Amino acid sequence: MIVLFLYILTVGSNVLLIVVICLNKSLHEPMYIFLCSLFVNELFGITGLFPSLLVQILSDIHTVSAPFCFLQIFCVHTYGHVELCNLAIMSYDRYLAICHPLQYNTHMTFKKVAMLIALVWLFPPIEVAVMLALSAPLQLCGNIINKVYCDNFSVVKLACFDTTVNNIYGIIYTLIIVFGVSIMIVYTYIEIIKVIISGSPEARQKAVSTCTPHISSLLNFSCGILFEVFQSRFDMSSVPMMLRIFLSLYFLICPPLFNPLMYGLKVSKIYNSCKGLFLGKR
């Protein structure tokens, strides 16, 4: 019942903000379009987890077919990659708005917004598909995954033969994509902090208010990913089982649940639009 309640609450809050952004023409701006993309990805991520998790909880035999396991790997990994890329373009958008406000409309055109959204949603699925194409043919020596969902690293660890190609691909992806995107995010916020420090009190307050929700969602997702990486790569047998399960699910449950609540309450235009939708006011 708790898992079902969380699923319904997460779906409802994300769908609500997607509808609000789509219906309200005043929210048809790059910042809110990127937010809409983020909320769509939250729905994609939790749909890859919650239905199968509910089935496993209700079932006495915790088994999953190989095709469904790889389907879940595709959904979970694509969600994580799209989330990171979406947060990156949101930081780039805030960088242009705060550091180059006079050139913002020139740089962030509708065509550029569409191109960035397309890259965010096209590249990660291709990267994950290549990863699965390398993992699916592997002959496995075991069939037990000590997690409540399927992930690629757990499957590769069960392989009987050499997985050098898989490891090389993982390293290349980590260096080029994860570190590349992370460096871009760090650079944009270093520049934003410089502007905030040197700006007027009014400009500083406005910049902080617009960046706080994004920084919070970025830290929330990053902590979840770090928990998952540490758990996959290091021996966590000394950590209580329930805590390990919670940490493995954190990046799949907490960002989709808290992001719409945080943006809905902290971003005034979204908050006022939600209030107007419920009260019947425009």
Side-chain angles (χ1 to χ4, degrees), residues 90-109:
M90 288 170 65
S91 66
Y92 173 67
D93 175 71
R94 291 300 84 205
Y95 162 75
L96 288 179
I98 295 171
C99 299
H100 304 283
L102 298 180
Q103 292 83 32
Y104 178 78
N105 291 329
T106 303
H107 289 297
M108 195 57 71
T109 61

mmCIF file of all heavy atoms in Angstrom, residues 90-109:
data_model
loop_
_atom_site.group_PDB
_atom_site.id
_atom_site.type_symbol
_atom_site.label_atom_id
_atom_site.label_comp_id
_atom_site.label_asym_id
_atom_site.label_seq_id
_atom_site.Cartn_x
_atom_site.Cartn_y
_atom_site.Cartn_z
ATOM 1 N N MET A 90 19.415 22.495 -18.208
ATOM 2 C CA MET A 90 18.768 23.455 -17.316
ATOM 3 C C MET A 90 19.798 24.375 -16.669
ATOM 4 O O MET A 90 19.555 25.574 -16.505
ATOM 5 C CB MET A 90 17.962 22.713 -16.247
ATOM 6 C CG MET A 90 16.695 22.043 -16.780
ATOM 7 S SD MET A 90 15.919 20.943 -15.588
ATOM 8 C CE MET A 90 15.433 22.111 -14.323
ATOM 9 N N SER A 91 20.967 23.831 -16.313
ATOM 10 C CA SER A 91 22.025 24.675 -15.759
ATOM 11 C C SER A 91 22.567 25.623 -16.826
ATOM 12 O O SER A 91 22.891 26.785 -16.533
ATOM 13 C CB SER A 91 23.150 23.804 -15.190
ATOM 14 O OG SER A 91 23.808 23.090 -16.214
ATOM 15 N N TYR A 92 22.661 25.158 -18.066
ATOM 16 C CA TYR A 92 23.101 26.014 -19.171
ATOM 17 C C TYR A 92 22.100 27.148 -19.400
ATOM 18 O O TYR A 92 22.490 28.306 -19.635
ATOM 19 C CB TYR A 92 23.255 25.173 -20.439
ATOM 20 C CG TYR A 92 23.551 25.962 -21.688
ATOM 21 C CD1 TYR A 92 24.753 26.650 -21.847
ATOM 22 C CD2 TYR A 92 22.613 26.021 -22.722
ATOM 23 C CE1 TYR A 92 25.022 27.377 -22.998
ATOM 24 C CE2 TYR A 92 22.874 26.746 -23.881
ATOM 25 C CZ TYR A 92 24.068 27.416 -24.012
ATOM 26 O OH TYR A 92 24.328 28.139 -25.154
ATOM 27 N N ASP A 93 20.813 26.825 -19.300
ATOM 28 C CA ASP A 93 19.768 27.845 -19.456
ATOM 29 C C ASP A 93 19.881 28.908 -18.372
ATOM 30 O O ASP A 93 19.785 30.105 -18.649
ATOM 31 C CB ASP A 93 18.395 27.174 -19.415
ATOM 32 C CG ASP A 93 17.257 28.176 -19.444
ATOM 33 O OD1 ASP A 93 17.042 28.798 -20.500
ATOM 34 O OD2 ASP A 93 16.587 28.348 -18.404
ATOM 35 N N ARG A 94 20.099 28.483 -17.123
ATOM 36 C CA ARG A 94 20.247 29.445 -16.021
ATOM 37 C C ARG A 94 21.530 30.260 -16.181
ATOM 38 O O ARG A 94 21.566 31.440 -15.828
ATOM 39 C CB ARG A 94 20.264 28.707 -14.676
ATOM 40 C CG ARG A 94 18.949 28.064 -14.257
ATOM 41 C CD ARG A 94 17.832 29.071 -14.125
ATOM 42 N NE ARG A 94 17.192 29.359 -15.406
ATOM 43 C CZ ARG A 94 16.555 30.469 -15.716
ATOM 44 N NH1 ARG A 94 16.480 31.451 -14.840
ATOM 45 N NH2 ARG A 94 15.986 30.640 -16.892
ATOM 46 N N TYR A 95 22.575 29.639 -16.720
ATOM 47 C CA TYR A 95 23.829 30.349 -16.968
ATOM 48 C C TYR A 95 23.616 31.494 -17.960
ATOM 49 O O TYR A 95 24.070 32.621 -17.732
ATOM 50 C CB TYR A 95 24.870 29.362 -17.490
ATOM 51 C CG TYR A 95 26.051 30.000 -18.178
ATOM 52 C CD1 TYR A 95 27.051 30.650 -17.456
ATOM 53 C CD2 TYR A 95 26.167 29.947 -19.569
ATOM 54 C CE1 TYR A 95 28.139 31.225 -18.092
ATOM 55 C CE2 TYR A 95 27.256 30.521 -20.214
ATOM 56 C CZ TYR A 95 28.233 31.161 -19.473
ATOM 57 O OH TYR A 95 29.296 31.737 -20.121
ATOM 58 N N LEU A 96 22.920 31.210 -19.061
ATOM 59 C CA LEU A 96 22.655 32.261 -20.048
ATOM 60 C C LEU A 96 21.761 33.354 -19.466
ATOM 61 O O LEU A 96 21.987 34.543 -19.696
ATOM 62 C CB LEU A 96 21.990 31.650 -21.286
ATOM 63 C CG LEU A 96 22.851 30.781 -22.201
ATOM 64 C CD1 LEU A 96 22.019 30.253 -23.364
ATOM 65 C CD2 LEU A 96 24.053 31.554 -22.733
ATOM 66 N N ALA A 97 20.732 32.950 -18.707
ATOM 67 C CA ALA A 97 19.777 33.924 -18.168
ATOM 68 C C ALA A 97 20.421 34.852 -17.144
ATOM 69 O O ALA A 97 20.073 36.038 -17.069
ATOM 70 C CB ALA A 97 18.584 33.188 -17.545
ATOM 71 N N ILE A 98 21.363 34.345 -16.370
ATOM 72 C CA ILE A 98 21.960 35.142 -15.290
ATOM 73 C C ILE A 98 23.243 35.831 -15.731
ATOM 74 O O ILE A 98 23.472 37.009 -15.411
ATOM 75 C CB ILE A 98 22.225 34.245 -14.056
ATOM 76 C CG1 ILE A 98 20.891 33.744 -13.488
ATOM 77 C CG2 ILE A 98 23.011 34.996 -12.992
ATOM 78 C CD1 ILE A 98 21.033 32.696 -12.413
ATOM 79 N N CYS A 99 24.082 35.124 -16.481
ATOM 80 C CA CYS A 99 25.381 35.684 -16.875
ATOM 81 C C CYS A 99 25.311 36.511 -18.156
ATOM 82 O O CYS A 99 26.126 37.414 -18.356
ATOM 83 C CB CYS A 99 26.397 34.559 -17.044
ATOM 84 S SG CYS A 99 26.689 33.610 -15.541
ATOM 85 N N HIS A 100 24.360 36.209 -19.039
ATOM 86 C CA HIS A 100 24.223 36.943 -20.305
ATOM 87 C C HIS A 100 22.746 37.277 -20.559
ATOM 88 O O HIS A 100 22.165 36.837 -21.559
ATOM 89 C CB HIS A 100 24.781 36.118 -21.463
ATOM 90 C CG HIS A 100 26.198 35.686 -21.280
ATOM 91 N ND1 HIS A 100 27.277 36.536 -21.461
ATOM 92 C CD2 HIS A 100 26.726 34.493 -20.915
ATOM 93 C CE1 HIS A 100 28.395 35.887 -21.227
ATOM 94 N NE2 HIS A 100 28.093 34.641 -20.889
ATOM 95 N N PRO A 101 22.133 38.048 -19.672
ATOM 96 C CA PRO A 101 20.685 38.307 -19.787
ATOM 97 C C PRO A 101 20.292 39.052 -21.063
ATOM 98 O O PRO A 101 19.218 38.799 -21.615
ATOM 99 C CB PRO A 101 20.380 39.142 -18.543
ATOM 100 C CG PRO A 101 21.695 39.748 -18.143
ATOM 101 C CD PRO A 101 22.729 38.745 -18.517
ATOM 102 N N LEU A 102 21.149 39.967 -21.539
ATOM 103 C CA LEU A 102 20.800 40.747 -22.727
ATOM 104 C C LEU A 102 20.845 39.902 -23.998
ATOM 105 O O LEU A 102 20.124 40.179 -24.960
ATOM 106 C CB LEU A 102 21.754 41.943 -22.863
ATOM 107 C CG LEU A 102 21.711 42.958 -21.708
ATOM 108 C CD1 LEU A 102 22.709 44.080 -21.964
ATOM 109 C CD2 LEU A 102 20.305 43.524 -21.540
ATOM 110 N N GLN A 103 21.685 38.874 -24.009
ATOM 111 C CA GLN A 103 21.789 38.001 -25.184
ATOM 112 C C GLN A 103 20.971 36.718 -25.039
ATOM 113 O O GLN A 103 21.031 35.843 -25.900
ATOM 114 C CB GLN A 103 23.257 37.610 -25.429
ATOM 115 C CG GLN A 103 24.152 38.756 -25.863
ATOM 116 C CD GLN A 103 24.661 39.577 -24.689
ATOM 117 O OE1 GLN A 103 24.861 39.040 -23.605
ATOM 118 N NE2 GLN A 103 24.878 40.871 -24.903
ATOM 119 N N TYR A 104 20.208 36.608 -23.929
ATOM 120 C CA TYR A 104 19.503 35.345 -23.649
ATOM 121 C C TYR A 104 18.543 34.964 -24.775
ATOM 122 O O TYR A 104 18.558 33.828 -25.268
ATOM 123 C CB TYR A 104 18.737 35.448 -22.325
ATOM 124 C CG TYR A 104 17.953 34.202 -21.986
ATOM 125 C CD1 TYR A 104 18.596 33.081 -21.464
ATOM 126 C CD2 TYR A 104 16.572 34.140 -22.185
ATOM 127 C CE1 TYR A 104 17.881 31.935 -21.158
ATOM 128 C CE2 TYR A 104 15.859 33.003 -21.883
ATOM 129 C CZ TYR A 104 16.518 31.900 -21.359
ATOM 130 O OH TYR A 104 15.804 30.760 -21.070
ATOM 131 N N ASN A 105 17.702 35.895 -25.191
ATOM 132 C CA ASN A 105 16.712 35.586 -26.232
ATOM 133 C C ASN A 105 17.368 35.284 -27.580
ATOM 134 O O ASN A 105 16.803 34.546 -28.398
ATOM 135 C CB ASN A 105 15.730 36.750 -26.383
ATOM 136 C CG ASN A 105 14.822 36.886 -25.177
ATOM 137 O OD1 ASN A 105 14.498 35.903 -24.518
ATOM 138 N ND2 ASN A 105 14.423 38.116 -24.870
ATOM 139 N N THR A 106 18.543 35.848 -27.790
ATOM 140 C CA THR A 106 19.262 35.576 -29.037
ATOM 141 C C THR A 106 19.847 34.167 -29.037
ATOM 142 O O THR A 106 19.782 33.444 -30.041
ATOM 143 C CB THR A 106 20.395 36.598 -29.237
ATOM 144 O OG1 THR A 106 19.837 37.916 -29.215
ATOM 145 C CG2 THR A 106 21.109 36.358 -30.557
ATOM 146 N N HIS A 107 20.414 33.771 -27.882
ATOM 147 C CA HIS A 107 21.051 32.451 -27.784
ATOM 148 C C HIS A 107 20.020 31.330 -27.595
ATOM 149 O O HIS A 107 20.144 30.264 -28.197
ATOM 150 C CB HIS A 107 22.047 32.432 -26.617
ATOM 151 C CG HIS A 107 23.269 33.249 -26.857
ATOM 152 N ND1 HIS A 107 24.168 32.977 -27.874
ATOM 153 C CD2 HIS A 107 23.772 34.332 -26.209
ATOM 154 C CE1 HIS A 107 25.155 33.848 -27.848
ATOM 155 N NE2 HIS A 107 24.937 34.690 -26.846
ATOM 156 N N MET A 108 19.036 31.548 -26.741
ATOM 157 C CA MET A 108 18.069 30.498 -26.416
ATOM 158 C C MET A 108 16.802 30.671 -27.250
ATOM 159 O O MET A 108 15.743 31.043 -26.766
ATOM 160 C CB MET A 108 17.745 30.525 -24.914
ATOM 161 C CG MET A 108 17.036 29.268 -24.424
ATOM 162 S SD MET A 108 17.925 27.731 -24.722
ATOM 163 C CE MET A 108 19.286 27.857 -23.577
ATOM 164 N N THR A 109 16.927 30.389 -28.540
ATOM 165 C CA THR A 109 15.789 30.472 -29.456
ATOM 166 C C THR A 109 14.963 29.199 -29.388
ATOM 167 O O THR A 109 15.388 28.180 -28.812
ATOM 168 C CB THR A 109 16.287 30.670 -30.898
ATOM 169 O OG1 THR A 109 17.099 29.540 -31.262
ATOM 170 C CG2 THR A 109 17.115 31.939 -31.008
#
